[in-house]
Amino acid sequence: MKKLINKVAAAALTITLATVSGQSIAKDSSKPIVIPTHNWSSQVVMAYVIGGIFESMGNNVEYVPADSQAVYESIRNGDVTISHEVWQSSFGKSFYNAMAKGGVIDAGTHAAMTLEEMGVPQWVVDENLCPGLPNWEALKNCKDVFATADSGGKGRWLEGPQSWHGDLMPVRVDALGLGDDYVVKFAGGADALWADLAAAKKEGRGTIIFNWTPNFTDADGFAFIEFPEYTDGCRKADGGDGSCGSPKGWLKKAAHYQMPKRWPAAYTTFSRMSFTTKDIGQMAALVDIDKMSHQDAAKSWLADHEDVWKPFTQAGM
Ligand code: TMO
């Protein structure tokens, strides 16, 4: 009797496996997968990298320029299919707000850890332009080091475009009691941050800019300022007083909730995608150092790193 049961069980298992492998060849929709592009280099290059990977699998893709906060609502309602760089500090709140309304899924986390923070080029620390940096309290004695023509005698923080995280830094300056000595100016785009880095180096002047890692600046050395530690709820938008730094954060992927059903193969691949600090730094450097177009950078990256991305497409093989 026991033997018979085993035989029956074995036969059932065989049938189950056959069925599962049969179902795994579900076909993706030929409708385009919509991939958003934002206004920093790694994100745009990675958009074309991921689009290239989907195309290599026979999928159709479409790219749309999108606001980096509003995109989560667009994913929720299906106008955009994915977001491939959800940075915790800047976009975590919008991502989870959209998810809570229904329609956005968490499609996994990249290997790279992230930080989005104000800082100075490493040489500013090495040459001791503001003794005590990168501890934030050193700023109390250095406003003149960071003054610029447009800063009204105060030290200047050159923030990224306001679309990235609104009044986060102006609130922080005041919350830390630095408002009398520092003023926040918003850059028109990421290129203005890199232009200021280059100009400051040439002129030998200190500069405080918003920057992040992974980025192309990882290679040169960039010192992020150490502010009071981030804790859940410390920001003004979350009910706190705002006197905290940014989290050492995650980098996630998001998808429209119907992507797994409409494009099962592409979704499986997307969920397995995980880029490292090195991968993302390379994608940014191809544009910001090598001056390639985003599309050419993506082609070049895909050609040189098949060992990284091909395995993402080979689930269950
Ligand atoms: C969202 N960003 C990486 C520019 O901080």
Side-chain angles (χ1 to χ4, degrees), residues 39-40 42 68 85 87 90-91 115-116 164-165 210-212 214:
N39 52 356
W40 64 96
S42 69
S68 53
E85 280 194 17
W87 292 69
S90 291
F91 313 123
L115 181 61
E116 304 168 76
W164 288 345
H165 36 240
F210 177 74
N211 195 359
W212 55 92

mmCIF file of all heavy atoms in Angstrom, residues 39-40 42 68 85 87 90-91 115-116 164-165 210-212 214, ligand 1:
data_model
loop_
_atom_site.group_PDB
_atom_site.id
_atom_site.type_symbol
_atom_site.label_atom_id
_atom_site.label_comp_id
_atom_site.label_asym_id
_atom_site.label_seq_id
_atom_site.Cartn_x
_atom_site.Cartn_y
_atom_site.Cartn_z
ATOM 1 N N ASN A 39 15.850 63.471 -14.350
ATOM 2 C CA ASN A 39 16.897 64.459 -14.649
ATOM 3 C C ASN A 39 18.201 64.248 -13.887
ATOM 4 O O ASN A 39 18.775 65.193 -13.378
ATOM 5 C CB ASN A 39 16.351 65.883 -14.431
ATOM 6 C CG ASN A 39 15.717 66.053 -13.057
ATOM 7 O OD1 ASN A 39 15.617 65.106 -12.283
ATOM 8 N ND2 ASN A 39 15.297 67.272 -12.742
ATOM 9 N N TRP A 40 18.636 62.990 -13.788
ATOM 10 C CA TRP A 40 20.017 62.731 -13.356
ATOM 11 C C TRP A 40 20.523 61.542 -14.168
ATOM 12 O O TRP A 40 19.755 60.673 -14.596
ATOM 13 C CB TRP A 40 20.151 62.529 -11.856
ATOM 14 C CG TRP A 40 19.465 61.345 -11.278
ATOM 15 C CD1 TRP A 40 20.017 60.121 -11.009
ATOM 16 C CD2 TRP A 40 18.089 61.255 -10.876
ATOM 17 N NE1 TRP A 40 19.073 59.287 -10.487
ATOM 18 C CE2 TRP A 40 17.891 59.947 -10.393
ATOM 19 C CE3 TRP A 40 17.009 62.151 -10.899
ATOM 20 C CZ2 TRP A 40 16.642 59.514 -9.929
ATOM 21 C CZ3 TRP A 40 15.786 61.713 -10.439
ATOM 22 C CH2 TRP A 40 15.610 60.423 -9.957
ATOM 23 N N SER A 42 22.476 58.645 -14.086
ATOM 24 C CA SER A 42 22.373 57.182 -13.945
ATOM 25 C C SER A 42 20.953 56.709 -14.230
ATOM 26 O O SER A 42 20.753 55.652 -14.828
ATOM 27 C CB SER A 42 22.812 56.724 -12.550
ATOM 28 O OG SER A 42 21.890 57.146 -11.548
ATOM 29 N N SER A 68 9.982 63.284 -11.116
ATOM 30 C CA SER A 68 10.456 62.174 -10.286
ATOM 31 C C SER A 68 9.627 61.964 -9.015
ATOM 32 O O SER A 68 9.803 60.956 -8.337
ATOM 33 C CB SER A 68 11.940 62.356 -9.948
ATOM 34 O OG SER A 68 12.179 63.620 -9.382
ATOM 35 N N GLU A 85 14.725 53.467 -10.228
ATOM 36 C CA GLU A 85 15.594 54.059 -9.197
ATOM 37 C C GLU A 85 14.714 54.797 -8.187
ATOM 38 O O GLU A 85 14.534 56.009 -8.276
ATOM 39 C CB GLU A 85 16.601 55.050 -9.805
ATOM 40 C CG GLU A 85 17.824 54.409 -10.441
ATOM 41 C CD GLU A 85 18.952 55.424 -10.721
ATOM 42 O OE1 GLU A 85 18.940 56.538 -10.158
ATOM 43 O OE2 GLU A 85 19.852 55.067 -11.513
ATOM 44 N N TRP A 87 14.849 56.188 -4.924
ATOM 45 C CA TRP A 87 15.821 56.520 -3.864
ATOM 46 C C TRP A 87 15.057 56.794 -2.576
ATOM 47 O O TRP A 87 14.144 57.632 -2.552
ATOM 48 C CB TRP A 87 16.625 57.761 -4.272
ATOM 49 C CG TRP A 87 17.542 57.546 -5.439
ATOM 50 C CD1 TRP A 87 17.175 57.324 -6.742
ATOM 51 C CD2 TRP A 87 18.985 57.532 -5.424
ATOM 52 N NE1 TRP A 87 18.303 57.168 -7.529
ATOM 53 C CE2 TRP A 87 19.425 57.299 -6.750
ATOM 54 C CE3 TRP A 87 19.929 57.701 -4.412
ATOM 55 C CZ2 TRP A 87 20.772 57.228 -7.087
ATOM 56 C CZ3 TRP A 87 21.276 57.640 -4.755
ATOM 57 C CH2 TRP A 87 21.691 57.401 -6.073
ATOM 58 N N SER A 90 14.779 60.692 -1.238
ATOM 59 C CA SER A 90 14.010 61.652 -2.040
ATOM 60 C C SER A 90 12.596 61.178 -2.366
ATOM 61 O O SER A 90 11.675 61.988 -2.430
ATOM 62 C CB SER A 90 14.739 61.945 -3.356
ATOM 63 O OG SER A 90 15.927 62.667 -3.112
ATOM 64 N N PHE A 91 12.428 59.876 -2.618
ATOM 65 C CA PHE A 91 11.167 59.409 -3.198
ATOM 66 C C PHE A 91 10.431 58.350 -2.376
ATOM 67 O O PHE A 91 9.342 57.918 -2.761
ATOM 68 C CB PHE A 91 11.416 58.878 -4.620
ATOM 69 C CG PHE A 91 12.256 59.809 -5.454
ATOM 70 C CD1 PHE A 91 13.438 59.377 -6.037
ATOM 71 C CD2 PHE A 91 11.894 61.136 -5.619
ATOM 72 C CE1 PHE A 91 14.234 60.236 -6.781
ATOM 73 C CE2 PHE A 91 12.681 62.009 -6.359
ATOM 74 C CZ PHE A 91 13.859 61.562 -6.937
ATOM 75 N N LEU A 115 23.033 57.213 -0.483
ATOM 76 C CA LEU A 115 23.008 58.384 0.385
ATOM 77 C C LEU A 115 22.802 59.599 -0.512
ATOM 78 O O LEU A 115 23.416 59.699 -1.576
ATOM 79 C CB LEU A 115 24.322 58.514 1.173
ATOM 80 C CG LEU A 115 24.402 59.709 2.149
ATOM 81 C CD1 LEU A 115 23.331 59.631 3.239
ATOM 82 C CD2 LEU A 115 25.795 59.786 2.793
ATOM 83 N N GLU A 116 21.903 60.478 -0.134
ATOM 84 C CA GLU A 116 21.617 61.719 -0.849
ATOM 85 C C GLU A 116 21.775 62.835 0.166
ATOM 86 O O GLU A 116 20.940 62.974 1.061
ATOM 87 C CB GLU A 116 20.186 61.704 -1.386
ATOM 88 C CG GLU A 116 19.888 60.504 -2.272
ATOM 89 C CD GLU A 116 18.401 60.369 -2.549
ATOM 90 O OE1 GLU A 116 17.873 61.133 -3.357
ATOM 91 O OE2 GLU A 116 17.770 59.517 -1.912
ATOM 92 N N TRP A 164 13.309 67.618 -6.733
ATOM 93 C CA TRP A 164 13.756 66.365 -6.107
ATOM 94 C C TRP A 164 13.214 66.199 -4.696
ATOM 95 O O TRP A 164 12.769 65.132 -4.329
ATOM 96 C CB TRP A 164 15.289 66.262 -6.117
ATOM 97 C CG TRP A 164 15.844 66.010 -7.490
ATOM 98 C CD1 TRP A 164 15.150 65.599 -8.594
ATOM 99 C CD2 TRP A 164 17.212 66.156 -7.907
ATOM 100 N NE1 TRP A 164 16.004 65.485 -9.663
ATOM 101 C CE2 TRP A 164 17.261 65.805 -9.285
ATOM 102 C CE3 TRP A 164 18.388 66.547 -7.262
ATOM 103 C CZ2 TRP A 164 18.455 65.833 -10.013
ATOM 104 C CZ3 TRP A 164 19.566 66.565 -7.989
ATOM 105 C CH2 TRP A 164 19.597 66.214 -9.356
ATOM 106 N N HIS A 165 13.326 67.233 -3.855
ATOM 107 C CA HIS A 165 12.792 67.055 -2.498
ATOM 108 C C HIS A 165 12.380 68.366 -1.828
ATOM 109 O O HIS A 165 12.566 68.522 -0.621
ATOM 110 C CB HIS A 165 13.740 66.239 -1.601
ATOM 111 C CG HIS A 165 15.186 66.498 -1.870
ATOM 112 N ND1 HIS A 165 16.073 65.528 -2.269
ATOM 113 C CD2 HIS A 165 15.873 67.639 -1.863
ATOM 114 C CE1 HIS A 165 17.246 66.064 -2.481
ATOM 115 N NE2 HIS A 165 17.157 67.339 -2.233
ATOM 116 N N PHE A 210 24.651 69.589 -3.063
ATOM 117 C CA PHE A 210 23.899 68.351 -2.903
ATOM 118 C C PHE A 210 24.498 67.318 -3.847
ATOM 119 O O PHE A 210 24.801 67.617 -4.995
ATOM 120 C CB PHE A 210 22.418 68.565 -3.235
ATOM 121 C CG PHE A 210 21.604 67.300 -3.168
ATOM 122 C CD1 PHE A 210 21.275 66.735 -1.944
ATOM 123 C CD2 PHE A 210 21.177 66.670 -4.326
ATOM 124 C CE1 PHE A 210 20.538 65.554 -1.874
ATOM 125 C CE2 PHE A 210 20.433 65.491 -4.263
ATOM 126 C CZ PHE A 210 20.116 64.934 -3.035
ATOM 127 N N ASN A 211 24.692 66.115 -3.356
ATOM 128 C CA ASN A 211 25.235 65.048 -4.189
ATOM 129 C C ASN A 211 24.701 63.724 -3.665
ATOM 130 O O ASN A 211 23.965 63.701 -2.658
ATOM 131 C CB ASN A 211 26.763 65.107 -4.152
ATOM 132 C CG ASN A 211 27.426 64.276 -5.250
ATOM 133 O OD1 ASN A 211 26.759 63.613 -6.056
ATOM 134 N ND2 ASN A 211 28.741 64.289 -5.271
ATOM 135 N N TRP A 212 25.045 62.655 -4.303
ATOM 136 C CA TRP A 212 24.527 61.351 -3.899
ATOM 137 C C TRP A 212 25.499 60.263 -4.313
ATOM 138 O O TRP A 212 26.400 60.466 -5.112
ATOM 139 C CB TRP A 212 23.151 61.112 -4.528
ATOM 140 C CG TRP A 212 23.127 61.240 -6.023
ATOM 141 C CD1 TRP A 212 23.307 60.244 -6.942
ATOM 142 C CD2 TRP A 212 22.905 62.447 -6.788
ATOM 143 N NE1 TRP A 212 23.206 60.757 -8.216
ATOM 144 C CE2 TRP A 212 22.964 62.097 -8.157
ATOM 145 C CE3 TRP A 212 22.658 63.774 -6.448
ATOM 146 C CZ2 TRP A 212 22.787 63.029 -9.184
ATOM 147 C CZ3 TRP A 212 22.492 64.708 -7.474
ATOM 148 C CH2 TRP A 212 22.550 64.320 -8.822
ATOM 149 N N PRO A 214 25.147 55.908 -5.196
ATOM 150 C CA PRO A 214 26.179 55.830 -6.228
ATOM 151 C C PRO A 214 26.091 56.983 -7.234
ATOM 152 O O PRO A 214 25.002 57.372 -7.656
ATOM 153 C CB PRO A 214 25.860 54.518 -6.962
ATOM 154 C CG PRO A 214 24.785 53.825 -6.203
ATOM 155 C CD PRO A 214 24.153 54.811 -5.314
HETATM 156 C C1 TMO B 1 17.428 61.505 -6.685
HETATM 157 N N1 TMO B 1 18.868 61.810 -6.636
HETATM 158 C C2 TMO B 1 19.661 60.602 -6.916
HETATM 159 C C3 TMO B 1 19.183 62.875 -7.645
HETATM 160 O O1 TMO B 1 19.154 62.278 -5.404
#
